[in-house]
Amino acid sequence: MEDFCRRADIVFAPGCRVLCAVSGGLDSMCLLHLLWQWGERDGFVVCAASFDHGLRPEAAGEVELVRAWCAARGIDCAAGAGDTRAQARQTGQTLEEAARALRYRFLDETADRLGADWIATAHHAGDQAETILLHLLRGTGLRGLGGIPPRRGRVVRPLLEAERAQLEDYAAAHGIPHCEDASNLDIAYTRNFLRHRVLPLLREKNPNLDRTLGRAAESLRRDEDYLAAETRRAARELLREGPEGVWVPAAALAALHPSIALRLVQEMAARLEPDTVLPYRQREAVLALAESDRPSGKISLSSRLQAGRVYDMLFLSTARQPMSGLSPAFLRPGERAALSEELWAVCAAVPCPPGPWEEDALYLAPTPGQTGVLLRARAPGDAIRLPGRPRKALKKLLIEARVPSRERERIPVLVLGGQVAAVAGLGCDERFRPAPGEPSWCVRLERRPPDREEGGLSDEEDDGPRH
């Protein structure tokens, strides 16, 4: 066990505190005894934590066995209890998932209270073999095939290379009492079915099966670590986040090796919904959208998450309310108005300057009888004749300008005398374009609230059973 901990970088330094999760079963009682002896020798403190999941009447007695054993040896022992069935009903989890959630919450809280540096659990080589097969049955990727990691955060598994038979011999040699959980014999649970029906048959073909699977898992975890590091590097270089979601150039995503690209799609989802794990088929569908020749498309990933393609960019976003549209406003020179929560417009009568004009300003030659300009969202039939170009439908111009469809309804259209005189981002119709020095109305767009006094606008993992 000590040799494994050194190789797995599990260091119990003198003076540190290790909280051992103990159910009263053989594996966890052996781990507690081993850690206690090790700590006595090397100067670190071992304490215990035992949790009653409220599923079996005899569990309370098992907790008492642990407490009594610890008391006889001066080991601090914390006991806890929870209602696993209620947790499962409230969360929709299976009993096994609910039990694990309650158990680890108790262990985390106890470790914090006692100031423990590590939480040690008694998962052994047999648990590792079961977990790998369980993941294969459910469907998994490289991470699942890596099985139970030796350490995750402050949770460590010092016995991960020990075999069950070794633990049985150790308990017998040292007279370590323990309890047997009858539910571990119920093959209605998939893990128990694998333990009692499948693995014994496989061990007949390979008596060293547990060690073989353990070595394979270790190798695959190294591969997983490398690919995860490459994915983080790609994420730093390619991903961009904004109020509407996470974006990546579609061509750049498609050019990545599929192993990295599929992981990057998962990373995009996790940035929006940290607990979301996209099924493999959904990640494939998002990657196919990036590889497609189509300039647009959408995929519903869940009730809260969607993916889409807008020209050369691919995005993942949450299903928030759609962006607000523009409120129409009639502006006279010297007036200002809000077109939306973030977009304001101000109109002023000024001589038209020589070009090129500022990006956020449009200059119009007012027609006789007009007192102001109407600003609104685009409407069916809108068309404009930009200087030196034929008259063209506004919708077609916006598509040619590669304006995303969800943003087209937020582009202000300026109307004089019932005719489209200008479009923000595109320019003025040649019929309404003033010459330099001529009187004009300047409509300036600002994406800031009007709170500056000077008349302008201001800045603004399943890891196995308990033991």
Side-chain angles (χ1 to χ4, degrees):
M1 183 183 74
E2 292 181 33
D3 178 63
F4 170 74
C5 286
R6 281 191 291 272
R7 286 187 285 108
D9 196 28
I10 299 172
V11 180
F12 300 137
C16 79
R17 184 175 290 264
V18 183
L19 178 66
C20 183
V22 191
S23 68
L26 170 72
D27 311 333
S28 61
M29 289 297 291
C30 285
L31 176 62
L32 178 59
H33 186 273
L34 283 159
L35 289 175
W36 171 61
Q37 289 198 322
W38 189 359
E40 290 287 295
R41 187 193 73 198
D42 285 4
F44 60 84
V45 178
V46 175
C47 46
S50 191
F51 187 75
D52 179 357
H53 298 82
L55 295 173
R56 299 177 297 111
E58 58 269 27
E62 295 164 1
V63 172
E64 285 306 311
L65 179 148
V66 175
R67 295 180 68 173
W69 195 90
C70 289
R73 290 157 182 80
I75 300 172
D76 288 338
C77 180
D83 188 339
T84 300
R85 289 188 174 86
Q87 169 84 2
R89 286 194 300 269
Q90 293 168 5
T91 62
Q93 297 171 311
T94 65
L95 282 180
E96 292 171 287
E97 292 169 340
R100 184 183 187 280
L102 289 173
R103 181 168 64 255
Y104 274 92
R105 183 189 306 161
F106 165 70
L107 291 173
D108 278 330
E109 292 172 352
T110 303
D112 290 340
R113 180 169 56 82
L114 298 179
D117 302 280
W118 303 100
I119 299 171
T121 69
H123 297 95
H124 56 74
D127 298 322
Q128 182 73 290
E130 294 165 12
T131 298
I132 293 169
L133 293 184
L134 192 63
H135 287 170
L136 277 172
L137 280 177
R138 292 173 175 171
T140 187
L142 196 57
R143 184 176 181 182
L145 292 176
I148 306 170
R151 56 179 290 184
R152 179 180 290 139
R154 61 176 170 177
V155 177
V156 295
R157 285 93 181 193
L159 292 179
L160 203 53
E161 286 189 346
E163 297 182 12
R164 171 79 179 190
Q166 292 177 299
L167 297 174
E168 291 171 347
D169 291 344
Y170 184 86
H174 293 276
I176 300 173
H178 60 275
C179 306
E180 293 295 340
D181 182 349
S183 67
N184 286 334
L185 300 175
D186 185 356
I187 62 171
Y189 294 104
T190 305
R191 182 178 287 276
N192 289 342
F193 177 79
L194 292 172
R195 178 182 303 165
H196 299 297
R197 295 288 182 86
V198 176
L199 281 166
L201 294 175
L202 295 176
R203 290 182 184 118
E204 289 180 9
K205 296 295 184 182
N206 180 1
N208 295 317
L209 178 69
D210 293 356
R211 292 184 182 180
T212 300
L213 290 177
R215 286 194 297 269
E218 183 179 4
S219 175
L220 292 171
R221 284 195 301 272
R222 285 195 294 267
D223 293 344
E224 166 68 21
D225 289 344
Y226 171 76
L227 291 172
E230 287 296 295
T231 302
R232 290 192 295 271
R233 181 186 61 78
R236 289 193 299 270
E237 293 177 359
L238 299 177
L239 297 190
R240 298 293 180 266
E241 296 184 58
E244 295 176 38
V246 183
W247 295 77
V248 63
L253 180 64
L256 293 172
H257 188 282
S259 292
I260 303 300
L262 293 171
R263 289 162 182 267
L264 195 61
V265 171
Q266 170 58 38
E267 170 65 18
M268 294 171 72
R271 291 194 180 190
L272 296 170
E273 299 285 339
D275 295 330
T276 294
V277 178
L278 293 180
Y280 183 77
R281 292 300 182 193
Q282 288 191 352
R283 284 178 279 148
E284 277 193 322
V286 175
L287 181 55
L289 187 60
E291 296 170 339
S292 171
D293 293 332
R294 295 172 55 199
S296 63
K298 283 188 178 180
I299 302 171
S300 177
L301 303 175
S302 69
S303 61
R304 290 183 49 80
L305 207 60
Q306 65 178 0
R309 170 88 177 262
V310 179
Y311 297 112
D312 58 351
M313 299 297 289
L314 183 133
F315 70 90
L316 261 66
S317 65
T318 53
R320 302 188 181 104
Q321 291 181 333
M323 295 185 298
S324 57
L326 293 180
S327 299
F330 186 80
L331 280 182
R332 298 175 179 84
E335 294 181 341
R336 61 188 177 190
L339 305 180
S340 67
E341 290 182 0
E342 70 278 2
L343 185 64
W344 289 72
V346 59
C347 183
V350 296
C352 178
W357 299 337
E358 309 97 309
E359 185 177 346
D360 60 354
L362 291 165
Y363 293 86
L364 304 175
T367 56
Q370 296 298 316
T371 59
V373 57
L374 172 66
L375 286 87
R376 59 163 173 78
R378 71 186 180 103
D382 280 351
I384 189 171
R385 180 180 289 116
L386 298 175
R389 300 174 62 181
R391 181 178 172 82
K392 187 174 288 190
L394 179 53
K395 178 179 180 180
K396 189 168 184 179
L397 285 171
L398 293 174
I399 291 174
E400 291 175 353
R402 303 177 76 113
V403 176
S405 58
R406 68 186 185 285
E407 295 180 10
R408 295 171 197 162
E409 309 310 316
R410 295 165 52 82
I411 294 177
V413 176
L414 282 61
V415 179
L416 281 174
Q419 299 184 70
V420 174
V423 178
L426 294 181
C428 290
D429 188 295
E430 64 178 8
R431 295 169 298 170
F432 296 90
R433 185 182 179 92
E438 289 184 350
S440 70
W441 290 345
C442 173
V443 177
R444 188 176 299 277
L445 301 171
E446 296 281 355
R447 296 188 179 275
R448 294 170 291 184
D451 53 9
R452 194 185 290 167
E453 292 183 359
E454 60 205 319
L457 299 163
S458 71
D459 294 326
E460 337 171 21
E461 256 144 64
D462 176 14
D463 61 359
R466 69 187 183 96
H467 294 278

